[in-house]
Amino acid sequence: MSGALQDVVVIETTREFYASLAGALLGDFGATVIRVVDISDARTVDHGRDGMHPPERWNSLDELAHRNKQSLAVNLAEPAGREILEKLVAGADVFLTDAPSATLDNEGCDYESLCALKPDIVLTRASGFGPKGPDRDLPAYDELAAARTGVMPTLPQPGQPPVYTGVGQMHTAVMLALGTMIALHHREECGEGQVVDASLFGGNMYSQSLDMQAYLAIRDDRFLEPLSRLDSGNPMSGPMYPSSDGRWVTLAMPDTDKYWPAFAEIMGLDVTDPRFDSHEKRCGESRLEMMQVLDERFRTRPGSHWKQALDEKQLPADVIEKYDYPAADSNAEANRYILNLEHPTHGAVQSLGFPIHMSESPARLRRMAPCVGQHTAEILQERLGYADARIQELEAEGILGAEPLA
Amino acid sequence: MKQALEGIRVLDLSQWLQGPVCAQYLADFGAEVIHVERPKGGDGARGVRSIKALAIGDWNQYFLVINRNKKSLAVDLKKPEGQELFYELVRKSDVFLSNFQRQNLDAWGLTWEKLRDINPRLIFATNSGYGHAREINRPSYDINVQALTGLMTRQGEPGEPPIYLGMGSGDTYGGLMSALGIMLALHERRRTGRGQFLDASLYGAQLFMAAPTLQPFLASANSLYSEQQARSQAGNPLWNRYQVKDKWVFLCLEDTDENWAALCESFERPELASDVRFDSAAKRTEHNAELVAVLDSILQEQDSEEWIGRCRSSGIPAAPIQNLKDVSGDAQAWENDYLLKVHCGEVNREVDVRGLPITLSKTPGRVESLGPELGQDTELILMDLLEMEWDRISELKEQGVIP
């Protein structure tokens, strides 16, 4: 079994989680991904900066973002260090970064400079707000992009604070990987590289594309405000109802005619009740009354009762779970969406796996996330042909190392 | 200008959202995408009449935008002649994409084994609901799969209902994953000459989408990641949402004493910087409810333009929390083609649509047409691609294989 990208070399200088994740997606499918860490730059990204990610026994976000990568630590402020980066680029297919454009210019990693080293390079840039426009250089945090994109006020119940979900950046991560693959495809066909950009702003916009598109087309202010949970066009599709023990049930039965007989039976309602005996009545004149009735009924029994009853009838409806559900779900494990691993230092751990199944070139966990500089000597020897003596010289001169220089 | 995926042909046998949006990404970059539909009614999304209990308006933006840049071919796959016709298309295509349930594909004779025998170079891509490894035949709507992941339960304030992340939010993510899988398979095929089977499921995509909190939960089982967190209990109150006079703003400041002093300076409350309740990061976390209340009362005094202006001039990262109306007029979105104006034949005028979130400098995506009419390209495809005579096409029409 080969990796689909076994012939692809990616040089990566990302800092933020989402951008690093794009590199991991390529590495999962066999690409050689070399993270170049500049030891002359002491700035690090702290996942705990938002106050929502306290220190853990192991840094699981870094583990996910840097798996299947090699790490090379080098002082890019020194010519001999810079030369190493240039030689790596000359043998690479993709340069992946989330550095601001000004930084890329200063570091000689702008597209023109990279092209001078490798004429058909694909430069993939993770940005905050896209390559053009007045705000292209604004600070790039997922939260700031999410705030701009209009979804946050629509998510909660009326009167509640706007909601930040954190999933917008996950769209951007896949867009970066997808854009890179499309650019590589074009390069194979025509021999030219190019610049790929996907932004947190774009990713967040597209994480809610149907709501956004509906507003663009209909321009109704109803799309700007939160909707109450009991303000749905269809009592059997979309609303959520609380059970007696505080768990919530969600229904997804847009075609109510098809499901009404079985559903009415579960709910202890008369299938011939004249208030609810047609789709038109259920979603029209009796809509609000039906939601009130269902709300009362669902409150009479615990979540486990509803889960079993809905399961038995194979209805598209669910009791809403917590993260402990996928963590223990054998189907998530069977599909390798969640991996049970033996970590060299931490023993048995769980980690997210691979969302794409491929029969001939599946994703593989070839190596856990590296320590900073773990592969420096190896890469210099094997990829660039440096002699041992030269490597030791560079180490002595402070050009290589694993620790940022103070 | 050449497009990146010119010459790639995709049979898009999918409906509603996840499959169609996957093929939309490929079509935007120049692939020839044939949306294959049943002759009666076609793709279910053509029947959408309302969105969030509101009439959809005079054009069906749900269907037309997702299926832009595509052709439409209508064929009855229940008929053996329809299946034969489909096999002929498979012979001449690079990618087969479907989000129908497996039992439908089996019934139509469209299994991976069968299509692989017809065309060994074919990439056979499915969007299952719950993954390929198990036979799970429950219907998979975006919201009920999202309910399983646990992602909804951790959103919003404690005691509030769980929150669904937005119409089709998981489907569109699954579509992106699927498009990435197809590009990976095309790359592999260049080396091996063979296609493969791939599946990007709704469940798998949504679990990955939850990574920022699900991954640390898997590592720590800490309920911080799985349960709702109150705004007033922010671990870092300087990285939080605040209501100002006219709307909300998001403040994103790392919690250092230096940053706290800069914030107090910017908000013209220098005395707060030395307030003993808040004079270290640990204390700011410990007294977070108090601090959030203090900042709430300060921020209520001015509108967002004033606060954001002050933050920008002090180098404090902050943004107004916009609504969809704001973003629809946001120059940054238009300049990057994240929003576009396109002619819509259905209403014969220019309409605003979601544009191109992935920017390629030399082979940019394009929107040349909105979604096709049902079956509009059927005869042309049979004549041009399959080189069929008109007699044969008439025969297929008489048999009801094509409309």
Side-chain angles (χ1 to χ4, degrees):
Chain A
M1 286 277 185
S2 64
L5 302 182
Q6 61 181 359
D7 54 351
V8 172
V9 177
V10 181
I11 305 300
E12 176 191 298
T13 65
T14 58
R15 301 167 59 84
E16 295 286 336
F17 173 68
Y18 78 99
S20 302
L21 208 52
L25 285 167
L26 302 175
D28 289 349
F29 288 95
T32 299
V33 183
I34 299 171
R35 267 184 77 68
V36 176
V37 177
D38 181 3
I39 56 174
S40 72
D41 180 356
R43 291 172 308 150
T44 54
V45 169
D46 171 15
H47 296 307
R49 67 193 177 193
D50 62 359
M52 277 300 302
H53 289 87
E56 315 168 66
R57 70 190 168 107
W58 61 295
N59 192 331
S60 65
L61 287 174
D62 276 348
E63 186 60 60
L64 184 68
H66 302 319
R67 70 184 180 198
N68 288 326
K69 296 181 186 178
Q70 297 168 286
S71 173
L72 176 138
V74 61
N75 184 339
L76 293 179
E78 296 289 336
R82 175 81 214 152
E83 187 188 346
I84 290 169
L85 179 63
E86 287 175 359
K87 285 180 172 167
L88 284 172
V89 169
D93 304 289
V94 179
F95 189 88
L96 170 67
T97 184
D98 57 3
S101 50
T103 309
L104 290 179
D105 291 347
N106 290 339
E107 294 178 348
C109 292
D110 53 294
Y111 181 59
E112 286 68 27
S113 307
L114 294 172
C115 275
L117 301 164
K118 182 76 172 15
D120 64 353
I121 194 99
V122 171
L123 167 59
T124 300
R125 200 177 146 241
S127 69
F129 294 92
K132 301 184 194 126
D135 295 333
R136 66 182 179 273
D137 296 322
L138 276 187
Y141 292 137
D142 187 47
E143 288 88 342
L144 299 177
R148 285 255 319 236
T149 43
V151 71
M152 288 179 61
T154 66
L155 290 172
Q157 292 294 295
Q160 292 291 322
V163 169
Y164 169 70
T165 64
V167 303
Q169 61 183 321
M170 297 302 294
H171 285 254
T172 311
V174 185
M175 286 173 179
L176 289 164
L178 174 59
T180 302
M181 290 309 304
I182 293 170
L184 284 173
H185 183 89
H186 175 71
R187 191 193 67 164
E188 299 304 318
E189 294 292 317
C190 300
E192 67 175 2
Q194 60 186 313
V195 184
V196 176
D197 186 294
S199 70
L200 290 168
F201 185 46
N204 275 279
M205 275 175 82
Y206 283 76
S207 71
Q208 39 128 9
S209 51
L210 287 185
D211 293 81
M212 190 176 69
Q213 184 60 64
Y215 177 75
L216 288 173
I218 304 167
R219 300 277 171 171
D220 190 304
D221 286 355
R222 182 186 158 100
F223 291 113
L224 309 181
E225 301 295 334
L227 287 183
S228 159
R229 116 186 127 77
L230 294 181
D231 181 9
S232 166
N234 180 341
M236 289 169 59
S237 190
M240 291 172 208
Y241 302 98
S243 65
S244 65
D245 58 349
R247 297 180 73 195
W248 292 80
V249 183
T250 176
L251 310 178
M253 299 181 269
D255 177 2
T256 67
D257 283 339
K258 180 174 163 187
Y259 297 110
W260 172 244
F263 181 62
E265 188 185 334
I266 289 174
M267 299 311 296
L269 293 167
D270 178 0
V271 76
T272 60
D273 187 324
R275 294 172 300 172
F276 310 133
D277 62 1
S278 74
H279 180 80
E280 287 62 39
K281 288 184 189 173
R282 289 188 287 268
C283 297
E285 64 198 58
S286 305
R287 181 170 67 93
L288 295 174
E289 188 181 2
M290 183 166 168
M291 280 191 272
Q292 289 298 343
V293 169
L294 292 177
D295 202 52
E296 286 159 22
R297 296 270 161 154
F298 273 113
R299 287 175 194 271
T300 60
R301 309 293 286 272
S304 56
H305 165 83
W306 298 119
K307 192 172 175 77
Q308 193 185 342
L310 294 163
D311 264 353
E312 270 172 21
K313 299 273 183 198
Q314 288 284 291
L315 293 177
D318 281 277
V319 175
I320 301 176
E321 300 286 359
K322 296 181 180 176
Y323 280 162
D324 58 356
Y325 178 85
D329 177 18
S330 64
N331 182 49
E333 191 184 9
N335 281 289
R336 298 199 308 154
Y337 299 149
I338 290 177
L339 307 173
N340 288 297
L341 304 171
E342 199 58 39
H343 191 285
T345 354
H346 305 292
V349 295
Q350 273 195 316
S351 168
L352 280 166
F354 310 110
I356 302 168
H357 165 76
M358 298 180 79
S359 65
E360 307 307 309
S361 54
R364 281 178 43 220
L365 185 62
R366 293 171 293 148
R367 53 167 65 101
M368 304 295 273
C371 307
V372 173
Q374 186 175 331
H375 304 95
T376 304
E378 188 182 320
I379 291 166
L380 290 179
Q381 284 165 337
E382 293 175 14
R383 186 161 286 280
L384 303 182
Y386 279 50
D388 284 355
R390 178 64 183 140
I391 293 172
Q392 280 160 11
E393 244 171 61
L394 290 168
E395 277 174 1
E397 290 165 15
I399 305 292
L400 310 176
E403 293 301 319
L405 303 172
Chain B
M1 181 145 31
K2 187 170 164 24
Q3 287 204 276
L5 302 183
E6 251 170 63
I8 297 292
R9 184 172 296 122
V10 181
L11 294 177
D12 171 26
L13 179 66
S14 70
Q15 59 168 353
W16 292 105
L17 187 51
Q18 186 183 355
V21 89
C22 163
Q24 178 224 300
Y25 279 106
L26 304 177
D28 285 353
F29 286 101
E32 181 192 357
V33 176
I34 301 171
H35 196 52
V36 181
E37 306 179 68
R38 58 184 180 195
K40 279 205 177 72
D43 181 339
R46 290 185 181 275
V48 170
R49 295 289 170 264
S50 67
I51 296 265
K52 287 194 170 176
L54 281 180
I56 196 159
D58 57 356
W59 63 290
N60 179 350
Q61 76 276 356
Y62 181 105
F63 176 84
L64 291 173
V65 175
I66 295 158
N67 293 291
R68 65 199 193 187
N69 297 327
K70 297 181 188 178
K71 299 173 177 175
S72 170
L73 178 141
V75 58
D76 186 352
L77 293 171
K78 292 195 185 82
K79 292 191 163 66
E81 301 84 353
Q83 293 161 18
E84 287 300 326
L85 179 65
F86 198 85
Y87 297 151
E88 287 183 57
L89 291 168
V90 165
R91 248 174 229 116
K92 304 217 163 182
S93 297
D94 301 283
V95 179
F96 167 88
L97 170 71
S98 168
N99 64 350
F100 282 88
Q101 289 192 304
R102 194 185 298 182
Q103 57 265 40
N104 289 103
L105 294 182
D106 290 351
W108 299 330
L110 303 179
T111 61
W112 159 229
E113 293 72 18
K114 173 79 189 171
L115 300 193
R116 179 183 54 192
D117 288 347
I118 293 171
N119 178 0
R121 291 177 55 79
L122 184 76
I123 286 141
F124 184 101
T126 59
N127 298 155
S128 65
Y130 303 94
H132 79 287
R134 300 256 180 98
E135 283 277 358
I136 297 177
N137 288 327
R138 299 185 61 202
S140 54
Y141 292 99
D142 190 8
I143 193 168
N144 65 355
V145 176
Q146 199 168 104
L148 287 187
T149 63
L151 187 55
M152 295 167 67
T153 308
R154 68 169 316 279
Q155 312 295 335
E157 292 287 305
E160 288 292 309
I163 292 173
Y164 173 51
L165 270 52
M167 277 192 296
S169 54
D171 276 320
T172 52
Y173 195 60
L176 263 177
M177 279 292 178
S178 183
L180 174 60
I182 288 167
M183 291 310 303
L184 291 166
L186 284 168
H187 189 92
E188 165 86 359
R189 188 182 75 168
R190 194 183 291 279
R191 199 175 49 249
T192 64
R194 298 187 64 78
Q196 59 180 307
F197 165 77
L198 71 94
D199 181 55
S201 78
L202 192 52
Y203 185 47
Q206 298 208 42
L207 288 172
F208 200 77
M209 189 167 83
T213 43
L214 178 51
Q215 175 76 1
F217 177 84
L218 292 173
S220 65
N222 186 338
S223 64
L224 171 74
Y225 301 114
S226 56
E227 305 282 350
Q228 292 162 318
Q229 303 299 319
R231 187 179 69 94
S232 60
Q233 297 297 309
N236 172 6
L238 314 188
W239 196 288
N240 207 357
R241 296 145 293 153
Y242 288 99
Q243 192 161 14
V244 305
K245 212 176 204 163
D246 56 330
K247 57 176 64 168
W248 288 76
V249 298
F250 214 135
L251 189 63
C252 295
L253 204 54
E254 295 192 41
D255 193 2
T256 64
D257 293 343
E258 198 179 8
N259 283 345
W260 171 234
L263 187 75
C264 297
E265 190 65 36
S266 175
F267 290 180
E268 296 174 358
R269 297 296 170 97
E271 75 284 358
L272 267 182
S274 53
D275 188 315
V276 293
R277 291 171 299 171
F278 311 131
D279 63 3
S280 73
K283 284 194 191 172
R284 287 187 287 273
T285 301
E286 186 189 346
H287 302 140
N288 51 8
E290 260 179 292
L291 181 48
V292 169
V294 167
L295 290 176
D296 270 342
S297 67
I298 294 173
L299 285 157
Q300 287 287 355
E301 292 166 13
Q302 308 268 3
D303 64 15
S304 57
E305 201 174 333
E306 169 71 22
W307 290 122
I308 298 297
R310 284 198 205 182
C311 286
R312 280 201 183 176
S313 58
S314 329
I316 294 167
I321 294 180
Q322 303 201 118
N323 63 25
L324 292 170
K325 187 176 189 172
D326 299 324
V327 77
S328 71
D330 191 324
Q332 193 63 22
W334 289 97
E335 288 217 27
N336 284 291
D337 288 341
Y338 295 164
L339 297 174
L340 290 170
K341 291 188 179 296
V342 184
H343 182 80
C344 174
E346 194 166 316
V347 290
N348 199 22
R349 66 167 193 269
E350 210 169 48
V351 294
D352 295 341
V353 300
R354 347 184 236 109
L356 302 155
I358 302 170
T359 312
L360 266 61
S361 61
K362 291 183 187 167
T363 57
R366 290 207 289 257
V367 180
E368 292 183 337
S369 59
L370 289 179
E373 288 180 27
L374 176 56
Q376 69 175 44
D377 304 288
T378 307
E379 292 95 337
L380 265 180
I381 292 170
L382 299 191
M383 285 192 291
D384 290 354
L385 183 60
L386 303 184
E387 294 166 350
M388 259 185 209
E389 298 295 332
W390 189 254
D391 292 352
R392 173 87 182 104
I393 292 175
S394 301
E395 209 174 293
L396 290 170
K397 284 177 185 274
E398 278 161 34
Q399 295 167 328
V401 176
I402 58 173

